[in-house]
Amino acid sequence: LETPGNKFQVALLITAGSDGSVKIWDFETIDGADVIEEDAMFPMEPMSEMEVGEGVNIVSMCKTVTENNNDTNSMWLAQDASGGIWKLDISVSLTKKAPELIQSYHAGPIRGLAPCPYTHMVASIGADGTVRVFDYLRKTTLVSKKYKYGGSCILWPGRNVDSLMST
């Protein structure tokens, strides 16, 4: 990652993985490493690292864009294999913000949808074993429950099944 337009250009290498950690490395140190062919190891410590969360398996990351196109922006979005979208501050500073889970989705295909016939909600079931109820006007997840196995279809019960809609 190079920061064009910034008078202090720094070449960084950012790694993220299945262990839930994000590490920032100095690319110039890696590029200039004097490694002997027989021993291709070059031990070094990252400039900065963060643990996103327990059980987080990062599969993708992208840098956020600010309104004024500020190249010093250090906020990134990361997707984990469990369907979470995380906001990460990967700055190399003591004041960086803690990782924040901003939304959670199905981790894989959605196998079924059931719209509520009398309000603005929809239930979904995924191959990941989660059942979620969304309020699509407020754009929020009202409830999410993880089961051992994924489902293949879902049905919203009518009012005659539960007239108080309490289950």
Side-chain angles (χ1 to χ4, degrees):
L1 167 74
E2 288 208 18
T3 56
N6 188 344
K7 64 180 179 179
F8 302 107
Q9 288 191 349
V10 178
L12 302 174
L13 175 67
I14 301 169
T15 59
S18 60
D19 62 352
S21 66
V22 176
K23 297 178 182 178
I24 302 172
W25 308 86
D26 178 22
F27 182 76
E28 290 180 15
T29 302
I30 296 169
D31 192 42
D34 190 19
V35 179
I36 302 169
E37 290 297 322
E38 296 85 38
D39 185 25
M41 295 276 291
F42 180 73
M44 67 180 282
E45 292 294 318
M47 294 171 58
S48 176
E49 66 182 298
M50 76 166 49
E51 188 71 30
V52 176
E54 189 165 331
V56 172
N57 177 356
I58 299 172
V59 295
S60 178
M61 286 181 57
C62 68
K63 187 174 182 183
T64 62
V65 178
T66 58
E67 287 184 28
N68 60 0
N69 230 359
N70 182 358
D71 287 328
T72 61
N73 180 24
S74 63
M75 299 308 283
W76 287 65
L77 295 176
Q79 177 184 6
D80 75 42
S82 299
I85 304 293
W86 294 82
K87 186 176 180 181
L88 307 176
D89 178 0
I90 63 163
S91 62
V92 184
S93 77
L94 299 174
T95 60
K96 67 181 171 185
K97 298 175 182 143
E100 174 188 359
L101 179 64
I102 59 174
Q103 189 60 270
S104 183
Y105 301 96
H106 289 286
I110 295 173
R111 296 280 170 86
L113 286 174
C116 178
Y118 34 82
T119 189
H120 43 82
M121 292 186 286
V122 64
S124 63
I125 190 165
D128 63 350
T130 58
V131 175
R132 298 171 186 268
V133 177
F134 298 96
D135 179 333
Y136 53 82
L137 289 183
R138 292 188 182 127
K139 299 178 182 175
T140 59
T141 302
L142 300 174
V143 87
S144 177
K145 174 75 174 162
K146 175 112 173 104
Y147 294 94
K148 190 173 182 178
Y149 301 105
S152 59
C153 65
I154 191 167
L155 176 67
W156 196 283
R159 289 184 185 205
N160 57 342
V161 174
D162 184 2
S163 61
L164 299 177
M165 298 186 330
S166 60
T167 58

